[in-house]
C-alpha cells in the first residue's frame, strides 16, 4: 500500500479513512473490471491521486478512502469485500433484501435513476457502479432493510435474534462526534453527527447515478427516517422532507439561517471560480449580491462519464456568518458552504457539498 505523500503512507489509520480526513482527492472512479480483484487493482492506482491537504486536518468527503477500508477488510478476512459484508453485516442483521450485484437486484422490483434534459425525463446509465466502489456505496437495499438497519443502530449492538454483532463500546464510538466535520455537524465513525437544541441526530445519506437516499436517526427518541428517490433532484426533496419530519414528529426544528449584510469588499473577495474533481462552483457579483453557478464536470459513476447535459440553474447565496454562505433561492435554499483560510488569511478552499474546492485565482495559494 502507498499513497503519493510518503507521510500518508506511513501514518494513515482506519479512523482517518472513516472520517474523511485523508486529504487526497477522493472522487476517483476508475473502472478496474468486474473480477474479484477489482478492489485490489483500484487501490494500487491511488498513488496517482494528488494530496490536497495534510493528513488528519481537513474534512472533505472521500470515497476512495472507503475503498481502502474495503480492501483492508478483504485482506483481513480473505474474502471479497462483498462477501465479507454479507457474512459479517447483512446476514447477522437479517438484511435479506440488500444486494451488491445487478443479477441479484433484477430478481425484484427496483427503480432506475432518472434525470431531466430540456423538460424531458430520461433514464441514467449505467445503473451499476464500478465493482471497486462496493465499499463506497454499492449496496441496493429495500426500505424494510434500511429501517431494520436503523433499528439495529438505535439499539445496543445486538441483532433482532439477540446475537451480538458489535460491542456497546463500538456502537458508542460510532455515534460520538470527533474533532472534524463541516458546518454544523461532526464526524463519528462514518456517521455524521448533529446536535440540535441538545438532541443528537445521526445520519448518512448517499447518491448514485440518478438515485439519492436520506437516512437519519434520533437515538434519544428511538426515531429513524429513511427516504429514497430515483431522480438526481431528489436531494432537494430529501432535505426538505427530512427537516420537516424532524420538526413535526420530534418537535426539534432546526433554526433557519439568517442572512447578514455582505460588504462590497467581501463580495469581491469571495467572487471567483472554485474547482474540484466532479464540479466547479462559480460565484458571480450581481447588483450587490452573489450568484452561484455549478458547473458539473462528469467523472461519476465512472471516470469517463460525461457531464450532465443540463446545467443546474444559478442561485443566489447570502452570508449567514463570517466565511459561511447559504443558498437563498429554491431549489438550493439553505444549502450551505464555507470558506477555509490559509494561515496568511487568504482563501484556501470553498467547501461545498462536502468537498473542498480550490480557488482558481493566481493571487492565492492552497494550504
Amino acid at each position: 500500500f502507498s499513497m503519493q505523500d510518503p507521510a500518508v503512507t506511513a501514518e494513515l489509520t482506519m479512523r482517518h479513512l472513516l472520517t474523511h480526513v485523508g486529504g487526497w482527492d477522493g472522487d476517483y472512479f476508475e473502472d478496474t473490471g468486474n473480477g474479484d480483484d477489482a478492489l485490489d487493482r483500484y487501490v494500487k492506482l491511488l498513488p496517482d491521486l494528488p494530496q490536497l491537504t495534510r493528513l488528519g486536518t481537513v474534512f472533505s468527503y472521500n470515497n476512495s478512502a472507503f475503498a481502502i477500508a474495503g480492501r483492508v477488510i478483504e485482506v483481513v478476512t480473505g474474502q471479497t469485500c462483498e462477501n465479507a459484508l454479507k457474512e459479517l453485516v447483512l446476514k447477522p442483521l437479517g438484511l435479506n433484501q440488500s444486494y451488491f450485484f445487478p443479477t441479484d437486484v433484477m430478481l425484484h422490483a427496483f427503480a432506475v435513476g432518472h434525470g431531466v434534459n430540456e423538460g424531458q425525463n430520461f433514464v441514467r446509465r449505467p445503473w451499476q457502479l464500478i465493482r471497486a466502489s462496493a465499499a463506497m456505496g454499492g449496496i441496493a437495499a429495500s426500505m424494510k432493510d434500511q429501517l431494520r438497519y436503523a433499528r439495529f443502530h438505535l439499539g445496543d449492538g445486538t441483532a433482532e435474534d439477540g446475537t451480538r454483532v458489535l460491542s456497546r463500546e463500538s456502537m458508542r464510538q460510532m455515534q460520538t462526534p470527533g474533532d472534524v466535520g463541516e458546518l454544523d455537524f461532526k464526524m463519528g465513525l462514518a456517521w455524521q453527527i448533529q446536535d440540535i437544541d441538545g438532541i443528537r441526530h445521526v445520519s448518512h445519506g448517499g447518491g448514485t447515478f440518478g438515485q439519492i437516499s436520506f437516512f437519519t436517526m434520533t437515538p434519544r427518541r428511538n426515531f429513524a427516517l429513511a427516504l429514497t428517490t430515483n431522480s438526481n433532484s431528489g436531494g432537494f426533496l430529501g432535505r426538505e422532507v427530512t427537516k420537516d419530519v424532524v420538526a413535526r414528529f420530534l418537535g426539534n426544528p432546526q433554526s433557519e439561517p439568517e442572512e447578514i449584510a455582505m460588504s462590497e469588499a467581501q463580495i469581491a473577495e469571495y467572487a471567483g471560480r472554485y474547482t474540484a474533481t466532479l464540479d466547479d462552483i462559480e460565484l458571480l457579483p450581481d447588483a450587490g449580491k452573489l450568484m452561484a453557478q455549478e458547473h458539473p464536470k462528469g467523472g461519476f459513476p465512472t471516470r469517463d462519464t460525461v457531464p450532465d447535459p443540463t446545467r443546474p440553474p444559478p442561485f443566489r447565496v447570502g452570508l449567514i456568518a463570517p466565511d459561511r454562505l447559504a443558498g437563498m433561492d429554491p431549489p438550493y435554499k439553505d444549502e450551505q458552504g464555507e470558506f477555509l483560510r490559509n494561515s496568511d488569511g487568504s482563501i484556501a478552499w470553498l467547501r461545498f457539498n462536502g468537498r473542498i474546492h480550490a480557488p482558481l485565482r493566481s493571487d492565492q495559494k492552497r494550504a
Side-chain angles (χ1 to χ4, degrees):
F1 171 76
S2 66
M3 298 297 288
Q4 187 178 92
D5 184 342
V8 175
T9 303
E11 300 169 15
L12 184 67
T13 68
M14 294 298 290
R15 188 173 292 270
H16 290 133
L17 298 177
L18 299 182
T19 55
H20 303 280
V21 290
W24 62 84
D25 184 359
D27 283 321
Y28 179 68
F29 302 101
E30 182 68 42
D31 189 352
T32 52
N34 288 319
D36 287 351
D37 63 346
L39 189 50
D40 181 26
R41 294 173 60 196
Y42 173 92
V43 169
K44 288 176 179 175
L45 298 175
L46 298 186
D48 292 336
L49 299 183
Q51 189 71 26
L52 305 178
T53 61
R54 287 185 296 110
L55 178 67
T57 60
V58 177
F59 171 88
S60 185
Y61 198 92
N62 194 316
N63 278 294
S64 60
F66 278 73
I68 296 173
R71 178 59 185 153
V72 171
I73 290 170
E74 290 189 335
V75 173
V76 170
T77 65
Q79 303 182 67
T80 64
C81 181
E82 296 93 341
N83 285 341
L85 289 173
K86 184 177 181 179
E87 294 299 319
L88 297 173
V89 180
L90 302 184
K91 281 186 177 180
L93 296 187
L95 305 182
N96 300 318
Q97 292 185 329
S98 297
Y99 308 103
F100 287 98
F101 300 107
T103 48
D104 294 320
V105 176
M106 67 188 292
L107 301 177
H108 306 270
F110 67 97
V112 295
H114 285 72
V116 179
N117 185 24
E118 296 182 352
Q120 297 296 314
N121 293 327
F122 65 95
V123 174
R124 288 190 173 274
R125 295 179 173 85
W127 180 88
Q128 183 185 20
L129 303 182
I130 58 173
R131 172 87 189 261
S133 69
M136 306 178 199
I139 294 179
S142 71
M143 187 58 66
K144 287 184 178 180
D145 270 14
Q146 291 188 51
L147 293 176
R148 186 172 285 116
Y149 189 67
R151 189 176 296 117
F152 169 76
H153 279 283
L154 291 170
D156 64 356
T158 57
E160 291 181 4
D161 64 1
T163 302
R164 179 156 295 281
V165 180
L166 289 176
S167 68
R168 290 178 182 269
E169 177 59 16
S170 290
M171 297 287 286
R172 186 193 67 80
Q173 286 197 36
M174 289 182 73
Q175 299 184 20
T176 299
D179 297 328
V180 296
E182 66 165 337
L183 302 169
D184 52 1
F185 78 80
K186 298 290 186 181
M187 288 301 303
L189 292 179
W191 289 117
Q192 297 173 347
I193 314 296
Q194 182 182 29
D195 292 335
I196 302 175
D197 292 335
I199 298 178
R200 177 152 298 170
H201 300 272
V202 180
S203 65
H204 197 304
T208 62
F209 210 35
Q211 306 202 48
I212 311 294
S213 69
F214 285 78
F215 186 100
T216 186
M217 304 178 294
T218 309
R220 181 168 155 185
R221 303 288 181 84
N222 198 34
F223 174 87
L225 167 70
L227 171 69
T228 59
T229 78
N230 65 329
S231 167
N232 257 27
S233 59
F236 306 126
L237 170 69
R239 279 193 297 272
E240 289 303 311
V241 170
T242 300
K243 186 167 61 176
D244 186 62
V245 167
V246 168
R248 290 174 181 267
F249 279 75
L250 303 182
N252 187 218
Q254 186 173 4
S255 59
E256 297 285 338
E258 294 186 9
E259 186 176 5
I260 60 179
M262 198 180 328
S263 69
E264 290 185 5
Q266 287 174 313
I267 292 174
E269 182 184 25
Y270 295 148
R273 190 164 179 136
Y274 300 80
T275 187
T277 299
L278 300 183
D279 67 349
D280 285 359
I281 305 295
E282 192 173 14
L283 299 180
L284 302 166
D286 182 30
K289 303 289 184 180
L290 269 180
M291 297 296 293
Q293 176 67 67
E294 185 181 8
H295 299 274
K297 295 159 69 172
F300 177 81
T302 69
R303 194 162 64 91
D304 298 327
T305 301
V306 299
D308 193 305
T310 305
R311 190 171 71 168
F315 60 101
R316 190 172 74 81
V317 294
L319 195 66
I320 59 172
D323 286 346
R324 188 162 167 178
L325 301 173
M328 295 293 150
D329 301 328
Y332 290 93
K333 183 171 171 50
D334 299 336
E335 181 80 359
Q336 295 187 27
E338 59 186 333
F339 296 96
L340 308 179
R341 293 186 179 270
N342 292 304
S343 57
D344 64 4
S346 61
I347 294 174
W349 307 97
L350 167 63
R351 184 156 52 196
F352 186 79
N353 195 27
R355 275 81 167 169
I356 53 175
H357 294 65
L360 290 179
R361 292 187 285 184
S362 59
D363 60 330
Q364 292 182 322
K365 299 177 181 179
R366 282 185 273 173

